[in-house]
Amino acid sequence: MVPQTLTGNPRHDRLIALVNERGYMNHDELAEILNVSIQTVRRDIRKLSEQGIVVRLHGGVGRSASSVTNMAFEQRETTYVREKTMIARQIADYIPNGSTVFITIGTSVEHVARMLAERQDLRVITNSLRVAWLLYKNASIEVVLPGGTPRPVNGGIIGPDTLSFVEGFQADYLITSVGAVSVDGCLLEFYINEAAVTRAMMAHSRHILLAIDHSKFTSSASVRLGNITPDMTVFTDRALPEPLSQLLQQRQVGVVIATD
């Protein structure tokens, strides 16, 4: 899928995509990739930082650490695809046939849904229209959708009816990602209504599988989902930051580092 234009300026969109993918870019790298002068790169960075899209740093530019809004869904679809695919493969292998599974909203869990699409005898309860679309054609997978209000931005279903529906189930597994993870093990999200559904699924799942690529350990979000607990397993693509790694060892939380 080709990402939609974000700013109306193709060079700016390319710069934003590079920074979101790599986390940090210096002026020289950007000038070479974009085929412009360093002075042009600096002007672009200044303009985008004034809009809150990126952060100006010494010698370069970094990803915006906004805790209020997540990056555009179309951007996230093309960010960390390799890492999300590796994580998804590990999670899919973890799910036995015959399971009842909650799946939330997001690009990371959509990768897992693709891996599950050929599986047998699953019941999948999801508030994501996009996840349902990936799975419904398999007659051996029962796909269950709640009532509620769909969000055009990501196909997520939210609202009181959604919460009430989720609370009527007890799942073997929940597959979810998060907006950010703090060093004290707190799971964070960007949007209150989406977080409410995820919390309800957490409360009605026997085991929680967290699909968390490495960028989530340096991101910032403001809505609390709860803390990482022993009934969770963290699936990621790199070693965890040391303070968090030690904390999860103390809590006896499983961590799976996905590889190719």
Side-chain angles (χ1 to χ4, degrees):
M1 179 177 179
V2 178
Q4 293 180 358
T5 299
L6 300 172
T7 66
N9 183 316
R11 187 176 70 246
H12 288 178
D13 290 346
R14 177 66 173 145
L15 189 156
I16 293 165
L18 287 166
V19 172
N20 282 328
E21 178 181 351
R22 304 186 189 186
Y24 172 85
M25 296 285 292
N26 66 42
H27 295 146
D28 291 336
E29 290 173 323
L30 284 169
E32 181 177 353
I33 292 171
L34 299 175
N35 195 28
V36 295
S37 67
I38 290 177
Q39 289 75 18
T40 297
V41 166
R42 285 177 173 149
R43 284 196 299 270
D44 289 348
I45 291 170
R46 183 169 61 250
K47 182 173 181 178
L48 292 171
S49 69
E50 288 170 353
Q51 298 173 40
I53 299 173
V54 299
V55 176
R56 293 171 68 187
L57 300 170
H58 180 70
V61 58
R63 189 188 302 116
S64 173
S66 170
S67 64
V68 179
T69 59
N70 201 356
M71 73 175 74
F73 196 85
E74 291 83 3
Q75 254 184 293
R76 285 186 282 136
E77 283 188 298
T78 58
T79 303
Y80 302 116
V81 172
R82 174 176 166 271
E83 291 87 345
K84 291 174 182 177
T85 301
M86 293 190 304
I87 291 167
R89 188 176 298 113
Q90 292 284 343
I91 292 177
D93 287 345
Y94 197 93
I95 302 289
N97 288 337
S99 298
T100 296
V101 185
F102 281 134
I103 303 182
T104 59
I105 302 165
T107 58
S108 293
V109 298
E110 286 174 20
H111 282 276
V112 183
R114 290 186 183 95
M115 299 285 181
L116 294 174
E118 302 302 320
R119 297 288 292 278
Q120 302 295 313
D121 193 25
L122 294 179
R123 170 183 278 181
V124 174
I125 303 147
T126 180
N127 66 321
S128 169
L129 293 172
R130 293 167 63 98
V131 167
W133 178 257
L134 290 167
L135 297 175
Y136 85 97
K137 293 181 182 179
N138 183 338
S140 68
I141 298 178
E142 179 185 1
V143 179
V144 185
L145 283 164
T149 304
R151 295 190 70 211
V153 66
N154 59 11
I157 303 172
I158 56 173
D161 290 340
T162 312
L163 291 173
S164 177
F165 185 85
V166 166
E167 289 166 357
F169 291 89
Q170 184 69 32
D172 299 307
Y173 299 94
L174 164 62
I175 301 170
T176 187
S177 186
V178 295
V181 182
S182 63
V183 293
D184 64 356
C186 184
L187 302 172
L188 301 161
E189 262 300 352
F190 292 95
Y191 305 110
I192 293 172
N193 291 329
E194 289 184 10
V197 177
T198 301
R199 278 195 296 268
M201 289 182 174
M202 286 179 167
H204 292 267
S205 301
R206 296 182 179 89
H207 201 83
I208 298 165
L209 310 182
L210 300 172
I212 305 176
D213 69 73
H214 66 272
S215 70
K216 304 301 176 66
F217 300 111
T218 54
S219 297
S220 178
S222 59
V223 182
R224 288 178 59 93
L225 285 170
N227 292 310
I228 299 178
T229 55
D231 63 338
M232 300 179 181
T233 301
V234 175
F235 293 80
T236 188
D237 59 290
R238 294 184 189 176
L240 303 180
E242 191 57 33
L244 181 60
S245 178
Q246 292 180 5
L247 177 65
L248 297 193
Q249 287 179 32
Q250 292 170 6
R251 294 181 181 175
Q252 298 183 318
V253 174
V255 177
V256 177
I257 308 296
T259 57
D260 285 323

